[in-house]
Amino acid sequence: MHPRRRQFLRAPISAATPPRRPPNAVHEHRLALLCDACGECVAACPTDIIVLRDGLPELDFSRGECRLCGDCARACKPAALAPADAVRLDLRARIGATCLAIRGVECRICGDHCEAGAIRFRPARGGIRLPEIVPDACTGCGACFAPCPEAAIDIHPIMECST
Ligand code: SF4
Ligand code: SF4
């Protein structure tokens, strides 16, 4: 039996922070069965943000953003990242309480990095504008993650994201 398949059968799925999978990743259960940790997706990623953790691919947004080019999915021979015409990330950004603007300090850095225009700034008391994610516009690309000076942004799987 494949060593990781054995591990999968034994280990309960962690309730800790969910992993951010690359575009078109199949459901977690199938991913663990299909992915053979060959690393082809890691090599194919033009922004070098795919890493293998515990033998499965994850996006590390501290290294950069996902351009949703689909090169990783096309490189995945076992189709753990499903080949499809449409490239999608099941991720969305979420802004946390350490945000400077929420704490009364003017900042729009995340908005400046969001090409999708998915971060709008709503006027609030004191003249400060507060960032707000527009869920339907956010692609989950992660471009806003690393530039935030307060590490206030998290990129969450859609099912985990309440904003
Ligand atoms: S970059 Fe960070 S601190 Fe600045 S407005 Fe965006 S979330 Fe807040
Ligand atoms: S994840 Fe990408 S699309 Fe979503 S808010 Fe951040 S920069 Fe914009």
Side-chain angles (χ1 to χ4, degrees):
M1 183 184 286
H2 188 288
R4 193 157 32 67
R5 193 166 299 182
R6 196 179 305 121
Q7 180 191 3
F8 170 70
L9 290 173
R10 282 183 186 162
I13 292 184
S14 169
T17 309
R20 290 94 175 127
R21 299 298 183 204
N24 295 9
V26 297
H27 188 277
E28 284 294 303
H29 291 194
R30 280 183 56 71
L31 186 77
L33 292 170
L34 291 176
C35 175
D36 59 9
C38 66
E40 293 291 337
C41 56
V42 176
C45 177
T47 54
D48 198 25
I49 65 166
I50 302 180
V51 296
L52 288 178
R53 286 202 184 110
D54 298 327
L56 293 174
E58 283 189 36
L59 299 178
D60 182 348
F61 290 119
S62 68
R63 301 158 69 108
E65 69 191 89
C66 173
R67 294 185 193 149
L68 287 103
C69 63
D71 285 355
C72 52
R74 284 186 284 275
C76 180
K77 294 189 179 65
L81 310 178
D85 292 338
V87 180
R88 57 152 229 295
L89 275 170
D90 293 330
L91 302 171
R92 294 293 177 271
R94 187 162 67 184
I95 296 175
T98 59
C99 165
L100 285 173
I102 290 173
R103 292 188 288 140
V105 180
E106 183 71 36
C107 177
R108 297 196 193 191
I109 292 173
C110 53
D112 292 343
H113 285 80
C114 179
E115 281 185 20
I119 305 177
R120 68 179 164 217
F121 286 81
R122 176 170 51 83
R125 259 185 293 176
I128 297 287
R129 288 180 171 260
L130 300 179
E132 207 171 62
I133 303 294
V134 182
D136 289 347
C138 176
T139 64
C141 71
C144 55
F145 177 88
C148 174
E150 295 298 314
I153 296 179
D154 201 2
I155 310 295
H156 266 248
I158 287 174
M159 296 302 288
E160 303 290 328
C161 190
S162 59
T163 54

